[in-house]
Amino acid sequence: SIREELIESIRTIPDYPSKGILFRDITTLLKDAKAFRRAVDALVQPYAGSKIDQIAGIEARGFILGGAVAHQLSAGFVPVRKKGKLPAATVEQEYELEYGSDVIEMHRDAIQSGEKVILVDDLIATGGTADAAVHLLRNVGADIVAACFIIDLPDLGGRAKLEKLDVPVRTLVEFP
Ligand code: 5GP
């Protein structure tokens, strides 16, 4: 099945970036031409034929997937970045990390009020990053159609967090 094929194409690195973490590495999926195409096709499949204005991709792996998704859906692409990387006027959103906090930004004029937007990243864990992106997008009036990720770590609660905000979540594979 496509699910098994994708799981096999994802590499797991123990103790990265810190001891006790099992890092799910999608570079092995991306360099596998079939797996990359299948992942993108499967992600966009529910939205094919509907009018999506913009794909918002989260730095950095969300840029790679989001660009491919935008092309497939004939949508634009908008980068959501770590603070200090975007050149024009931005809106920003702070979010909590395990230790401390971080800030993500988007260009203020990137999304017009009422535009239909799909949020894309490679993986959802606690949902902290995606939750901040949802707030950022809604603050400029985006109509968020869905949030799409290749990988869900359901035990960390990210999907539930987004669904509480009435954001439909699409994921392709889960890791315990
Ligand atoms: P969250 O904010 O949901 O806790 O973490 C998700 C964010 O961290 C995403 O931007 C994702 O790219 C990154 N991330 C966290 N853990 C992993 C992992 O095991 N593999 C990959 N590829 N990204 C991860």
Side-chain angles (χ1 to χ4, degrees), residues 7-44:
I7 285 174
E8 276 170 24
S9 74
I10 296 162
R11 173 166 63 183
T12 298
I13 312 287
D15 300 322
Y16 183 90
S18 52
K19 193 140 187 74
I21 304 282
L22 283 180
F23 191 83
R24 308 302 179 174
D25 174 20
I26 66 150
T27 64
T28 43
L29 182 157
L30 297 172
K31 80 184 191 89
D32 177 339
K34 273 198 192 125
F36 188 14
R37 171 171 284 282
R38 283 185 186 159
V40 173
D41 286 349
L43 270 184
V44 306

Side-chain angles (χ1 to χ4, degrees), residues 22-24 26 58-59 61 121-129:
L22 283 180
F23 191 83
R24 308 302 179 174
I26 66 150
I58 299 177
E59 184 170 5
R61 290 170 293 270
D121 203 354
D122 63 334
L123 175 147
I124 182 160
T126 66
T129 314

